[in-house]
Amino acid sequence: MTRSYAPSKKRRERKESPLLHYWRRLDKSLILAALLCSGLSIVLLYSIWQNSISSAVDDDQYRTQLIASAVGAACVLILAAIDYHKIVRLWFIYAPIALILTMLCFTSLGHKRAGADDQAWLNLGFIQFQPSEILKIVFILTFALHLAKNEKNMNRPLHLLLLCIHGAIPTGLIALQGDYGTAIVFAVIFLGMLFSARISLKHMLGFFVAIPAVLILAWNFLLGDTHKKRILVLLHPGTDPDGIEYQQDLGLKALANGKIFGVGLFSDSDDYVSVPEIHNDFLFAQVGQALGFVGAMAVVVVLAFLCLKTLYDGYHCKDRLGTFICTGVFSMLFIHCLMNIGMVLKVVPVIGIPLPFLSAGGTATLNMYIALGFVVSANGHNQKQYLVFTD
């Protein structure tokens, strides 16, 4: 009597085409979560324009968001097909370019947008963009490589000092631009990636002990009067003669206006509370206003899934480089969500941090998708047989 055996899993995988392997290993749930946020963003921006909720919003806003999301989704699929090690090894090409673009903001090409405190944009005539968004991705990739190569020696004073200098360069450059919110994002990415490495407990405690000293120095020598007032008004609400808390008060009012199920996406304009920059840093207020508490919590759940799934993928990476990249992207996503929603809830000062995949802004949206692309690549290229483009 003969027996028939089903082919083993490894044997079936060898027979699959590279494209089938690619599709099977693609982190589809992560991509879908980002696309859900982008889809909601486009609809919200369209409704803001259609209902004339904000005079600062025109039809270019939702069209730009649509294009940036489509290009970003394509970038994710392309990056997912490429071994991330190949891109990281080209750091000597893209790292200097990102630094040069950032430093150009200090020249006549630097542009300060209306209502902003920082000169963080480049105006090239045909396009305006934030080099700091590019620098975030570059920093995550280069710092991940630095950690992966020196993790065994990272607790030696010289190696730890070099790691700190690596983190201080982009953070310092962005702080000098006056973009303190983005500088905090860089600092959190640095600490998140550093603590995910094999850093000793005494060094970790040393960083926590140094934080109060850094905050005191920043308060006395770095922050301007406006930034200090934004922080003080949170501690003493209602004592603001300059109207600094006006925007956050309107944001809270818009959230409360939505109640449980919201006033709807396309209601009468009189039903909405108009908030300055509602399309950008305060889009979460419009989520709550249009879709209510239920809609706002649904968005929080999707964003939490994006963060946790990124961290989960990093934990299951087969090499430390992939783990560090995923940790860096998680840190970036998490601090963006925390600070943006905190601004709307009036527990964090207004510091111009967009909500990932939701706030209007082509550069920021595209940057988030590219970051996600590296997570998907790290998750899908754990073993040699799963590579699509190999040496």
Side-chain angles (χ1 to χ4, degrees), residues 288-306:
Q289 180 166 222
L291 305 176
F293 176 79
V294 173
M297 288 309 300
V299 167
V300 169
V301 168
V302 175
L303 290 173
F305 172 80
L306 274 167

Side-chain angles (χ1 to χ4, degrees), residues 328-364:
V329 175
F330 160 77
S331 301
M332 180 177 69
L333 286 170
F334 177 75
I335 194 62
H336 266 263
C337 295
L338 186 69
M339 292 173 71
N340 182 275
I341 295 175
M343 282 192 296
V344 177
L345 296 177
K346 205 179 175 181
V347 294
V348 172
V350 177
I351 42 181
I353 297 296
L355 192 60
F357 304 105
L358 284 155
S359 293
T363 310

Side-chain angles (χ1 to χ4, degrees), residues 42-292:
I42 294 162
V43 173
L44 285 168
L45 292 172
Y46 178 79
S47 71
I48 292 170
W49 167 67
Q50 192 74 14
N51 299 330
S52 302
I53 299 172
S54 173
S55 58
V57 178
D58 54 31
D59 58 344
D60 284 341
Q61 299 287 349
Y62 76 86
R63 288 175 181 170
T64 300
Q65 197 75 355
L66 176 61
I67 293 169
S69 300
V71 174
C75 288
V76 172
L77 296 177
I78 293 170
L79 287 170
I82 304 172
D83 182 4
Y84 58 99
H85 295 89
K86 297 177 184 294
I87 300 176
V88 172
R89 284 198 293 263
L90 298 175
W91 66 268
F92 57 89
I93 297 175
Y94 52 76
I97 293 173
L99 286 171
I100 290 170
L101 289 173
T102 303
M103 288 188 286
L104 283 176
C105 289
F106 296 100
T107 70
S108 58
L109 293 174
H111 176 61
K112 181 184 288 188
R113 288 200 158 186
D117 304 318
D118 54 292
Q119 187 169 308
W121 292 76
L122 273 186
N123 187 355
L124 302 182
F126 63 95
I127 189 173
Q128 293 182 12
F129 67 96
Q130 266 185 301
S132 60
E133 295 295 339
I134 300 171
L135 192 61
K136 286 177 192 172
I137 300 295
V138 171
F139 174 62
I140 289 172
L141 296 181
T142 56
F143 197 57
L145 180 63
H146 195 165
L147 284 171
K149 284 189 171 183
N150 295 279
E151 189 176 18
K152 291 181 180 179
N153 301 313
M154 68 174 296
N155 288 305
R156 295 181 180 178
L158 179 59
H159 288 280
L160 189 59
L161 176 62
L162 291 175
L163 288 169
C164 290
I165 292 172
H166 192 154
I169 290 173
T171 307
L173 276 174
I174 300 304
L176 288 173
Q177 291 178 354
D179 190 355
Y180 300 124
T182 304
I184 291 172
V185 172
F186 274 96
V188 171
I189 293 171
F190 166 72
L191 291 174
M193 295 178 71
L194 191 68
F195 291 165
S196 70
R198 296 187 178 94
I199 186 171
S200 67
L201 181 60
K202 66 176 182 179
H203 288 139
M204 192 180 298
L205 291 174
F207 277 104
F208 282 115
V209 169
I211 288 176
V214 172
L215 293 177
I216 292 170
L217 289 172
W219 181 267
N220 289 297
F221 301 105
L222 191 62
L223 296 180
D225 288 339
T226 302
H227 298 97
K228 290 179 180 179
K229 287 177 181 177
R230 287 177 180 173
I231 296 171
L232 290 173
V233 79
L234 296 179
L235 302 175
H236 308 285
T239 60
D240 173 31
D242 300 328
I244 289 176
E245 60 183 332
Y246 174 72
Q247 185 179 17
Q248 288 181 297
D249 286 341
L250 286 177
L252 280 174
K253 188 177 179 181
L255 271 177
N257 186 43
K259 297 184 174 63
I260 300 297
F261 298 106
V263 300
L265 288 166
F266 299 98
S267 296
D268 250 341
S269 58
D270 294 338
D271 296 333
Y272 295 104
V273 175
S274 180
V275 183
E277 297 296 319
I278 196 168
H279 63 295
N280 194 0
D281 301 338
F282 277 74
L283 194 69
F284 188 72
Q286 182 61 13
V287 172
Q289 180 166 222
L291 305 176

Side-chain angles (χ1 to χ4, degrees), residues 354-373:
L355 192 60
F357 304 105
L358 284 155
S359 293
T363 310
T365 299
L366 185 58
N367 172 73
M368 287 294 173
Y369 272 105
I370 291 172
L372 213 64

